[in-house]
Every structure is written in structure tokens, then in C-alpha cells.
Amino acid sequence: MDRRDFLFLLSLSSIAGATGCSGRSASSRPAELLPQTTPSAGFVADVELVLTAAPDEVPVLPGRSTRVWRFVGRLVKGPADTLQTIPGSYLGPVIRLRRGQRVRVRIANQLPESSVVHWHGLDVPERADGHPRLAIDHGREYIVEFEVTNRAGTYWYHPHPHMRTGAQVYQGLAGLLIVRDAEEDALALPSGDAELLCVLQDRRFDAQNQLVFHGGNMMEMMNGFLGDRVLVNGRPQPTTEVDAAWHRVRLLNASNARIYELAWTNDLQMTVIGGDGGLLEHPLEQQVLTLAPGQRADLLLDLTALAAGTEVHLDSQAFAEADAGVVGMGGMRGGGMGDRSSLPNGAPLRVMTLRTRARRGPAFRLPERLSSFDETWSPRADAKIRSVPLSFQRMMWFLDGRTFAMDDVAPEETVAGGSTQLWEFVNLTRPMGMQAAHPIHMHGRQFRVVARTGGSATNALRAGIVDAGWRDTVLVLPGETVRVQVTFTRHPGLYLYHCHILEHEDMGMMRNFQVT
Ligand SMILES: [Cu+2]
């Protein structure tokens, strides 16, 4: 950090201190809660895991190995296929669970700093959700216990410590968590070798193959940190040999800040069958799919008509950098305040390649109807509406005029467990282009997008957005208002909602909500 950045950070921290006091009054402070350190006597686990977060070295680029932080898993009890290690990857093990299982995870922190794990998308009790106030120090352990009540879908886990989520995820701490259930089993979707798991992340490396991060660079924090190359499961632009068959492709955008506008080559459609919270009611066919940080997509891909040796690429198509929003402030941008990625948001890039083998797969027909889960949901025009403006003021990102404070809850952030509200995220446009597309994530239950209005008709990201189905992370483009209907978790406690651009989150674009 140079002196100018340092002075800037100092001024920011004094602003942050000031806003903590100047927030609207009548905020409440919930009771203190400590991490769980002993198993609950009454909780009989079907699955027991140990997950250790520790420094390690893995080969990523040719030549010298890369120092990373990673989760290593160990199965203590449960089905033998519960943990799936991705060979040679810094990613944590894929955790495969079934709806209804009771799970106990012992989390050990061998990192040189405190940490805590969030189960992104799962509806779990307060003590298991990974609130930053429950972070544990180096050398300590804690226990989480929860029942898998979520439906089948692609979820994930990652750290959530105060102001260090971006840095810890960037160092490699993340993993997929896949839930299955009987409804999905009945569809006999492609599985085994025909199920491709693809975790998309961008990274920047120095000449010694070591990860480069922003180091407090203010412009990169305000815009979100972008790498200059994209990795899939920790590998640069992989090519995978696949059968000329139907495939299921599960995508997770675990990047800190990059938005992808994904499309297959070879005139293949993006056949979307699921989102953050499991299967859609019907498959959706689209040319492009917008995937923002934190979001998942479940695709089917029909390669049966392709000759052996055909290459199919997954690309991210070009879009205007301004579609994702950029905080550009004249001389500061790319100038005195430091580096930018050579691969800005919107730069076209190749994500990965599939090359077909001669071998064919089993016969499969795309079902017209995937799920009946939608029947459990109906739009509720009578529910309480809460407006949550997303704004940029005094070099900070705000949620409803506030930034994060560890145990601060405003009256409108106090909700009854199991109650339903409409939260409307209003992405305010500002003069001088100080705006961004924000992927807003709510902890606890999955929600529905009921309306998307405003914004620019020419924003290229709009065409690829999937609002159907159950979501936990919704992208709100500059100028847009996105209304979601959420039925809050029945677990009482303190939960979070925040922007999933991890630099925005770490800068305080995050708030608590208290479930009573
Ligand atoms: Cu944001």
C-alpha cells in the first residue's frame, strides 16, 4: 500500500466509525452468542465431517506451485461418497448430502487468522450459519449441527469472517455442497461422468505463480477485485474429454467480483434446469446465461449429435464494462490509485472446453416438467413491502443508508420467523457513473423474484438473467429495482444479507436481520 492509499484508508475508517454512530436510532443489539464447541447430546448425526482450513501448496500453472488456503475434509460417519475431492485442486471437497440428513461438521481453523464457515443457500440454525461474530481464532475448532431441509440443488460453502471474506475465498477457501432428494432422483438426470461440476473463479498471479490480491487498493475494493485469467475448479481453461451424450453441468460463480455472460459455442443452447435453490418447474432455453458472484446454474447439455473429436467451448461473451457498473472517478481510475485487471468485467473470455469421445451415453429425454415445488409458492401482493436502496456515498457502498456493524439491527431488519415480506432492492443511479451491478444475497431461506423493473434497456447482462425458480442471490443491475418475496427462516437468530461482490461485502455492504 502506498502512502496515498494508506491515508485514504484512514479517512475511510473514520467515516465508517462515524456512520456507525450516525445511523438511525432505535437499533437493537441481540444477545451474545458463542461458537458451539461440544456436540449436542440430543443430536444424532447421519453424517459427521471434519473440515480443516489450512495453508497448502497446489500446482495451478506450469512450474512452481501456488501457495493457497484450502479446506480439507475427513468423513467420520456417513455414506462413503459424501466427500469428493477434486484431484489437484485447491477447492475444498464436494460435500454430497441428501435432504433429511442430519449433519455435524467439526471445523478446525489452521489459518493464521480467524475464520468461520457459511453454508451458502442452506437454511440452518443461527449457530451454524457462519455469522462473523462466531469466527474462531487460529488453532481453535467449533461444531455446527443442522438438518438438510433444502431441496436438491447446488449449494456451496465459504468463509465469512469480518472484512476478510474476499481475501479468504480468494486464497482458495470454497467448495461445492450438493443436495439430492427423491424428486430429483425420479428424473434420472445425467450423473456420474456425465455430471460436470464447474466452479468459476478469476485470479491474478505474479511471475512466481503466486496469487496477487488487491492489498487494500481502494479502486479495486470499490469496483471489486478482478483477476486476469479464469480458472475452472482451480485449473486454467481446462479441456475435458466427454462422451457424445447428455450432460448435466453445474456451474458456480465463486469469483470475488466477476460477472459472466455464458454461452456455448456450436450453436448449442443454454438449457437451464435449475438455479440457486434447485430445479425449475420447466427447462428454459436461452442463448446466454448471466452468472454473478455467489450464483449457481444447473444446465443440461445435449452432445449426442456431435461427431467424435468435436470441441465445444463455454465462453463468456463481451459486454460493456458499464453494464456491470464501474466506479470511475476521473484521474483516480487506473491512475494514482493503483492497478486494474487487464481483463475488465465484460472482456470476452474462454472458460473451458469439452471434447467429445466416440462413446455414446445412455438414452435420455429432456423432461418437460422438472419439479412440482413451485406449487408450494404463490405471489403475495398483500405482504409487507420493504425498500432497500443500494447506494454509493462518501466512497462507500450502502444498504438502505447503512453499513455493517457486528450486532446492529434496525427496526425494519427485525422480522418474524416464517413470515413473508417483499424486499425491494433499488439500485440507485448516480451522476458520474458511481454505480455497480450488485448480486444481493440473503442468508436463510431461498426467495422468489417477483418483479424486475427500471434499468437500461441496452444493458447486455439483462438478456441472460434467470429470475425463475428459487434463488438466494439476485443480480440488481444499475438503475434496476428488483422485488423479491422471501419467507424468512423459522430458526430464530441473527442472519445476514449483503452484496456478494466480496470487496463490497468486506467494505460493509452487508447488514444483519434479526429473526424473532
Ligand atoms: Cu455490490
Side-chain angles (χ1 to χ4, degrees), residues 438 499 501 504 509:
H438 300 284
C499 179
I501 292 176
H504 292 184
M509 195 178 188

Side-chain angles (χ1 to χ4, degrees), residues 29-37 40 115-117 124-136 140 142-145 406-408 491-496 512-515:
R29 286 176 186 280
E32 193 183 346
L33 188 74
L34 297 172
Q36 181 177 348
T37 51
S40 305
S115 192
V116 65
V117 177
V124 298
E126 176 186 32
R127 280 180 114 184
D129 191 55
H131 193 281
R133 78 196 191 291
L134 295 175
I136 53 161
R140 306 291 288 271
Y142 76 106
I143 288 171
V144 297
E145 295 168 336
M406 190 61 90
D407 51 8
D408 190 43
H491 297 293
L494 200 61
Y495 291 85
L496 298 161
N512 291 308
F513 63 94
Q514 173 82 47
V515 179

